[in-house]
Amino acid sequence: MLIFGAAGALAVLINPKNLGTTATVPWGLLIGTYVFFAVSSTGVGLIGSLHSVFGVSKFKHLSHKGPIISLVLLLCGFGALALELGRPLNLIYIIFSPNFTAPIWWMGFFYSFYLVLLIVEVYFIIIKNDKYLHLIEKVSFFIKIAAVTNLGAVFSMNVSRPFWQGAYFPVIMIISAIASGAVILAVISFLEKSNDSEYMTVLGKILVSSLL
């Protein structure tokens, strides 16, 4: 599977039109892949913040686990976006060529900032410095909200089907992030054969509330 994945990534880099993107259709399948991973990363982070920011003890263990999961998901998202752009260095170029009136620039800025914060969080986890870890997690909570709402703003400004555009789409993205995060954390807990039924019940309530 790794060989097939590497071959597919190479094919995209050699000729981005392999994804069916053209000057008329600038976004392809990997944009959806990027959104999935970026939103899921944000959702895991938001649920993990329930302990560090709001003091919910049931999610205490996510203070160490959540940032690692979020970092892996966000790196996958940036990898998909780099392939979609055709030129991975454009990910860096966009940060240094700002357009402050474009939601997509702010989305890139906040998610890049979030990536840096996640790396710092993982570093504090490794050195077991919970004091600064909780401080960074409180800061990153607001960055997560800013990142996912700006991601929603990018799509809300497109002329598309009514459900996929409009002023409420940034809010829908926050709710989608929470739902995705709850599912991923539930699956991970299931694979780990966690016996914490109370934690799983709370995740289920979060998921159902988000879907409603």
Side-chain angles (χ1 to χ4, degrees):
M1 291 180 66
L2 288 173
I3 293 173
F4 280 118
L10 184 61
V12 171
L13 289 174
I14 293 174
N15 186 4
K17 291 185 178 180
N18 287 330
L19 288 175
T21 55
T22 63
T24 307
V25 184
W27 286 355
L29 180 63
L30 288 179
I31 286 294
T33 306
Y34 159 72
V35 172
F36 169 76
F37 282 115
V39 169
S40 298
S41 172
T42 309
V44 171
L46 288 174
I47 294 176
S49 298
L50 290 176
H51 169 67
S52 58
V53 179
F54 300 102
V56 181
S57 58
K58 295 182 182 65
F59 297 92
K60 184 177 181 179
H61 68 287
L62 288 180
S63 294
H64 289 178
K65 184 187 299 183
I68 297 174
I69 299 172
S70 295
L71 179 60
V72 172
L73 290 171
L74 191 56
L75 288 174
C76 291
F78 275 126
L81 184 60
L83 292 175
E84 170 65 23
L85 292 175
R87 298 178 181 177
L89 290 179
N90 284 346
L91 282 174
I92 301 174
Y93 175 74
I94 191 175
I95 298 298
F96 296 101
S97 58
N99 180 358
F100 298 116
T101 62
I104 197 169
W105 185 87
W106 286 105
M107 179 271 296
F109 171 78
F110 282 119
Y111 267 114
S112 298
F113 193 11
Y114 181 37
L115 177 63
V116 173
L117 290 177
L118 284 175
I119 294 172
V120 174
E121 287 180 29
V122 171
Y123 170 74
F124 285 134
I125 291 172
I126 293 173
I127 66 174
K128 298 180 180 180
N129 190 329
D130 290 341
K131 178 181 178 181
Y132 288 107
L133 173 62
H134 293 322
L135 178 62
I136 297 297
E137 285 180 340
K138 290 177 180 179
V139 174
S140 67
F141 173 78
F142 299 99
I143 302 301
K144 297 165 195 172
I145 296 294
V148 75
T149 51
N150 275 277
L151 179 56
V154 171
F155 294 97
S156 68
M157 297 181 69
N158 290 328
V159 178
S160 182
R161 296 179 180 179
F163 183 78
W164 298 109
Q165 69 175 88
Y168 297 106
F169 201 71
V171 179
I172 294 175
M173 290 296 279
I174 296 176
I175 299 173
S176 300
I178 295 173
S180 300
V183 170
I184 289 174
L185 290 174
V187 170
I188 291 174
S189 296
F190 176 77
L191 294 176
E192 291 178 344
K193 298 181 180 179
S194 174
N195 296 320
D196 192 347
S197 58
E198 186 177 1
Y199 167 68
M200 292 292 285
T201 301
V202 174
L203 282 179
K205 290 180 179 179
I206 292 174
L207 175 59
V208 172
S209 300
S210 301
L211 294 177
L212 294 178

